[in-house]
Amino acid sequence: MGGLEEVRGLAGWVPLSIAGISPVITVVGDVMLDGWFSGTIERLCREAPAPVVELDRRDYAPGGAANTAMNLAALGARVRLCGLTGADDAGARLRGLLAAAGVDVTHLVEDPAITTTTKYRILGGDQVLLRLDETPRRVPAGAAARVAAEAAAAVDGSDAVIVCDYGSGVLDGQVRDALAAAPGDRLTLVDAHDPAAWAALRPDLVTPNAREAAGLLGERLDPRGDRARAVRERTADLLEASGAAAVVVTLDRDGTVLLTADGEFHRTWARPATEKQASGAGDTFVACLAAARAAGLPLTTSLDLAQAGADIVVHRAGTSVCSAADLAQHLGSFAGTALEPDELLQAIRRERAEGRRIVLTNGCFDVLHRGHTAYLNQAKQLGDVLVVAVNDDDGVRRLKGPDRPINPVADRAGVLAALSCVDYVTVFSTDTPVPLIEALRPDIYAKGGDYSEQMLAETPAVEACGGSVRILDYVPERSTSAVVRKIRGPGPVVEGAS
């Protein structure tokens, strides 16, 4: 990747590339209606030792593939949805909610021989007490044939197609064959309980969770172990089993891992919530990922945006969606989040008391590019907590010349803080971060690979504090100076990697 797509911050992409370009995306999958029925509990029923919930609220939301479609519409995409519902009240309610959100439901097949899949949750106060599921006992052959025909029609002219296969059987056989045979070149993303079943589709992306990835590998992934490392070591096997060009393994509270055939590896880190009533964060993740890629964003940037979307909805109760405005507000909220030294020291003391290893790195980070994100992800994996120290504007001018920085320190710090791999951001004004190193006493001090330990003035201070210096891989032609040169055209540019 090169040019404009490398130099924007995450927040800058949201209205331009997702809502502005408005790609046409078709979702083919298992649709359902979610219900959230809540009330108060003051007594037990006479028939059994069970609580009586006095209902005072009923909320409904599209679920499954329908929730993915809702998220895409909220992000600004033009969405076509293909799936199967019954000719019942739940199906009618589902269609109404989708249409009101701007989702094209003309390819949604209705069959009176089945019931619409529903998942109704009963809440007493803040606690989910029970979930009532209703699913079709079988899929009539005629209904499957109609879904296959509608799927082929829906993907015609689409920029992307998302397959949401939760194992109902609707997408087996005829639908899968129709999608595989559909002409045209489009982004294809598969989110399926069994990704191997879709290998013949040769998808661009598959998004298995840890259990589904283990199924592809024919083994169990230890939830107490380093699952990111485990799946990375089996990249070739995952790609072969899924037939995909790239695999994104979702690890719940541990974020995600991107694996590609050319060896690209990128991680995101989740910002988990204790909220137990949230549902559908995976649908939001898939929708954001597909919308960003369909709009032309780099894969790693798309992954970070998808993680941000999932982080937003996991903090909300019920089945909810993430809009382009939500993303922009969330990412923009990181502006001004750089901690003062005293605040940072207090935070690091708490982290260290929990037994976490502290990694520190620093730089100007004037124009965020792939080289930065690659090495920040590497730095995060050296420990548990990543602290990024940013040169203030005067410091950048001293290092890079009077025409730098391109972006003021508040913007630079805000973009860094929005990255899921970054835990804390601070600003320093000295020529080197040695005073900060002496105060924080990091376990690891990381720098980009265009340095050596001997070149760094910080090395003695790190070692004196009992830490170690790690030089990370350098991404050629990905320095800020190289990016600035592309933007400004020929002319003298002060060299540097940060």
Side-chain angles (χ1 to χ4, degrees):
M1 291 289 180
L4 178 65
E5 67 268 20
E6 288 187 313
V7 300
R8 291 187 176 274
L10 290 179
W13 277 109
V14 175
L16 173 65
S17 292
I18 296 180
I21 292 177
S22 192
V24 178
I25 301 178
T26 294
V27 180
V28 180
D30 294 322
V31 301
M32 59 192 71
L33 179 69
D34 283 354
W36 297 80
F37 303 164
S38 58
T40 57
I41 300 174
E42 295 182 353
R43 57 194 174 90
L44 297 177
C45 69
R46 295 180 179 179
E47 297 85 359
V52 174
V53 180
E54 295 284 351
L55 289 179
D56 51 34
R57 180 169 182 153
R58 292 178 175 88
D59 295 309
Y60 297 92
N67 186 36
T68 300
M70 292 285 286
N71 276 274
L72 287 165
L75 290 167
R78 288 170 287 168
V79 190
R80 303 167 182 172
L81 177 61
C82 178
L84 180 64
T85 73
D88 49 20
D89 290 343
R93 188 185 297 275
L94 178 58
R95 288 170 180 274
L97 291 169
L98 288 162
V103 176
D104 181 351
V105 296
T106 58
H107 302 284
L108 199 56
V109 174
E110 181 180 278
D111 192 299
I114 70 165
T115 57
T116 301
T117 299
T118 58
K119 295 183 178 181
Y120 295 150
R121 298 160 179 86
I122 311 300
L123 288 78
D126 295 330
Q127 180 64 48
V128 175
L129 301 177
L130 183 68
R131 196 179 85 182
L132 305 174
D133 290 6
E134 188 171 19
T135 58
R137 295 184 180 275
R138 63 181 184 85
V139 180
R146 291 170 61 198
V147 174
E150 291 294 341
V155 299
D156 184 31
S158 295
D159 298 301
V161 58
I162 304 174
V163 175
C164 300
D165 182 5
Y166 306 136
S168 73
V170 172
L171 306 186
D172 293 346
Q174 297 180 75
V175 177
R176 189 180 298 130
D177 293 342
L179 290 175
D185 182 21
R186 63 187 66 83
L187 174 74
T188 302
L189 188 153
V190 171
D191 180 29
H193 286 345
D194 180 15
W198 294 90
L201 202 60
R202 309 303 296 178
D204 298 285
L205 283 165
V206 295
T207 57
N209 60 29
R211 180 182 57 79
E212 293 158 353
L216 284 171
L217 297 172
E219 63 183 43
R220 181 177 180 272
L221 293 179
D222 184 355
R224 297 167 298 179
D226 189 341
R227 295 181 295 174
R229 179 186 296 274
V231 295
R232 185 179 188 182
E233 292 172 349
R234 300 290 299 277
T235 296
D237 296 329
L238 285 169
L239 293 171
E240 181 180 4
S242 65
V247 177
V248 177
V249 182
T250 59
L251 302 173
D252 194 27
R253 298 175 65 89
D254 294 328
T256 69
V257 180
L258 167 67
L259 308 165
T260 67
D262 62 5
E264 186 170 18
F265 176 77
H266 184 76
R267 279 208 65 179
T268 67
W269 278 262
R271 303 176 191 270
T274 56
E275 176 62 68
K276 301 300 183 184
Q277 287 79 21
S279 178
D283 302 327
T284 299
F285 178 88
V286 169
C288 289
L289 180 61
R293 286 298 284 159
L297 274 68
L299 184 51
T300 54
T301 305
S302 301
L303 196 62
D304 280 312
L305 279 173
Q307 182 66 70
D311 288 342
I312 290 169
V313 299
V314 82
H315 287 83
R316 296 173 176 171
T319 306
S320 60
V321 301
C322 173
S323 67
D326 290 334
L327 266 179
Q329 181 180 10
H330 174 74
L331 296 170
S333 70
F334 290 99
T337 56
L339 297 183
E340 295 294 332
D342 288 345
E343 295 176 299
L344 178 61
L345 285 175
Q346 291 178 12
I348 295 305
R349 288 191 191 103
R350 292 193 297 269
E351 300 283 5
R352 190 166 272 128
E354 296 291 330
R356 300 186 179 99
R357 287 168 56 81
I358 310 302
V359 181
L360 172 68
T361 192
N362 69 282
C364 299
F365 301 101
D366 191 5
V367 180
L368 193 71
H369 55 73
R370 181 181 173 189
H372 288 143
T373 57
Y375 114 73
L376 289 171
N377 268 274
Q378 291 181 50
K380 170 73 172 184
Q381 294 171 68
L382 297 175
D384 304 303
V385 176
L386 177 60
V387 180
V388 180
V390 185
N391 297 78
D392 68 4
D393 292 344
D394 288 339
V396 175
R397 280 188 281 270
R398 291 195 298 270
L399 288 170
K400 305 294 182 180
D403 60 343
R404 300 279 294 277
I406 303 296
N407 295 299
V409 68
D411 290 348
R412 292 183 281 126
V415 170
L416 288 166
L419 296 176
S420 65
C421 60
V422 176
D423 296 289
Y424 300 102
V425 177
T426 192
V427 177
F428 69 101
S429 58
T430 52
D431 288 335
T432 72
V434 168
L436 181 62
I437 290 170
E438 293 174 340
L440 288 183
R441 304 177 67 84
D443 299 284
I444 303 289
Y445 178 68
K447 287 294 288 184
D450 50 345
Y451 296 94
S452 68
E453 291 186 37
Q454 293 74 24
M455 293 170 58
L456 296 175
E458 298 91 340
T459 299
V462 174
E463 294 177 343
C465 295
S468 60
V469 176
R470 293 289 296 273
I471 305 300
L472 304 180
D473 295 340
Y474 178 57
V475 181
E477 299 302 319
R478 288 293 186 266
S479 70
T480 297
S481 297
V483 174
V484 172
R485 187 185 297 110
K486 290 179 183 178
I487 298 172
R488 290 178 171 169
V493 177
V494 178
E495 287 299 331
S498 61

